[in-house]
């Protein structure tokens, strides 16, 4: 790549990170949800092979949050015969869908929560940067790679205000590895570092963001429950990230 093209790439990155768009676009919730990625990996044990899919939430600095149960004690994997009592080594792939392409990039698991259902992943920013450098700026996917690099560096904003009962909460993720879904619910209560909200989420949305009406992260989707004739979504509050980073 020439120096000129490299400069153009970094101008685009800085524009994505620092400058508000002059064009009309989606609201803050949808804008944040569009930054989520699919987390994908294969598990092979003896003669069994399966692909696992979940959602990852970028929070900046290349850090991506998902759920701990994806890597240990997954009930559905256990039910079909996989040994999941110990964390398993996995080659992780992040999948980001931009305006005209899907970009895949490597990640690694850096830490599992001991008390909370949360896991920390780290994207290979050097890999994404090299893709950006080696893709002609005139190529359709170049802008998507620049957008991916910018969102991995900046992340989705983290809420600074506490939720009040019945405040709207939005659940964003990729159910069953399919297209992005954003559902609305209401905050119900929090117990220590866990949020409980009235709403729905499906398998594959685990690790996705719970967002407030400003599009800021308040928590992460971990599981769904049913009780008292209602559907509930529960997961770690965003503040647990500081415990394991």
């Amino acid at each position: 790549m020439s120096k000129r093209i490299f400069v153009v790439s970094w101008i685009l990155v800085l524009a994505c990170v620092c400058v508000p768009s002059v064009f009309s676009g989606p609201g803050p919730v949808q804008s944040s949800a569009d930054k989520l990625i699919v987390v994908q990996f294969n598990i092979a044990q003896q003669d069994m092979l399966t692909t696992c899919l979940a959602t990852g939430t970028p929070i900046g600095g290349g850090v991506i949050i998902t759920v701990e149960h994806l890597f240990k004690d997954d009930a559905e994997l256990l039910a079909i015969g996989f040994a999941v009592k110990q964390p398993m080594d996995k080659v992780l792939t992040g999948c980001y869908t931009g305006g005209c392409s899907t970009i895949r990039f490597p990640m690694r698991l850096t830490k599992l929560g001991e008390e909370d259902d949360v896991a920390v992943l780290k994207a290979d920013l050097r890999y994404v940067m090299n893709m950006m450098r080696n893709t002609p700026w005139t190529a359709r996917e170049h802008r998507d790679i620049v957008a991916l690099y910018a969102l991995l560096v900046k992340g989705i904003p983290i809420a600074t205000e506490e939720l009040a009962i019945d405040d709207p909460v939005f659940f964003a993720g990729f159910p069953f590895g399919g297209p992005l879904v954003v559902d609305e619910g209401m905050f119900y209560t929090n117990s220590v570092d866990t949020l409980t909200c009235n709403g729905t989420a499906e398998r594959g949305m685990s690790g996705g963001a719970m967002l407030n009406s400003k599009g800021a992260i308040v928590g992460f989707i971990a599981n769904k429950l049913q009780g008292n004739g209602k559907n509930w979504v529960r997961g770690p509050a965003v503040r647990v990230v500081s415990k394991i980073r």
Side-chain angles (χ1 to χ4, degrees):
M1 171 178 271
S2 70
K3 291 183 178 179
R4 181 181 180 184
I5 294 175
F6 181 68
V7 170
V8 169
S9 295
W10 276 104
I11 289 173
L12 288 172
V13 169
L14 291 172
C16 289
V17 172
C18 303
V19 181
S21 173
V22 297
F23 302 101
S24 61
V29 172
Q30 189 64 52
S31 293
S32 292
D34 287 340
K35 295 179 174 65
L36 298 178
I37 66 167
V38 174
V39 176
Q40 178 179 331
F41 56 88
N42 296 324
I43 299 177
Q45 287 183 359
Q46 298 178 354
D47 60 344
M48 298 186 297
L49 175 66
T50 191
T51 298
C52 296
L53 298 167
T55 302
T57 301
I59 62 170
V63 175
I64 296 166
I65 302 298
T66 189
V67 284
E68 183 262 0
H69 74 250
L70 188 63
F71 303 99
K72 184 180 178 182
D73 297 333
D74 186 290
E76 292 197 18
L77 287 177
L78 183 62
I80 60 177
F82 284 87
V84 295
K85 287 301 179 183
Q86 298 296 325
M88 294 172 284
D89 292 332
K90 300 177 179 69
V91 176
L92 302 174
T93 301
C95 304
Y96 166 73
T97 300
C100 63
S101 56
T102 296
I103 305 166
R104 291 173 170 79
F105 58 95
M107 302 182 295
R108 58 186 173 86
L109 173 65
T110 62
K111 199 162 186 182
L112 294 173
E114 296 181 0
E115 300 175 352
D116 307 291
D117 192 358
V118 62
V120 177
L121 314 178
K122 189 67 181 289
D124 189 338
L125 292 177
R126 182 176 296 181
Y127 180 93
V128 179
M129 182 184 293
N130 286 336
M131 280 198 301
M132 184 169 60
R133 286 174 173 170
N134 296 321
T135 302
W137 69 271
T138 53
R140 293 181 62 194
E141 62 268 27
H142 183 268
R143 186 178 181 88
D144 292 338
I145 298 172
V146 172
L148 170 62
Y149 188 83
L151 76 87
L152 289 175
V153 170
K154 185 179 180 182
I156 302 172
I158 292 175
T160 57
E161 301 174 356
E162 295 288 334
L163 291 169
I165 293 176
D166 292 339
D167 275 354
V169 178
F170 300 86
F171 312 111
F174 301 94
F176 311 107
L180 177 69
V181 168
V182 181
D183 286 329
E184 183 176 358
M186 291 189 301
F187 175 67
Y188 178 69
T189 186
N190 65 302
S191 176
V192 190
D193 291 327
T194 301
L195 300 182
T196 301
C197 305
N198 179 218
T200 60
E202 299 296 338
R203 183 168 177 82
M205 294 178 72
S206 292
M210 296 183 184
L211 302 166
N212 63 18
S213 58
K214 297 179 180 178
I217 304 168
V218 295
F220 308 96
I221 301 166
N223 54 63
K224 62 177 182 178
L225 306 167
Q226 288 184 322
N228 300 324
K230 293 184 177 181
N231 295 314
W232 306 94
V233 179
R234 181 177 293 170
V238 71
R239 60 177 168 267
V240 306
V241 173
S242 62
K243 296 166 59 176
I244 63 172
R245 289 191 72 169

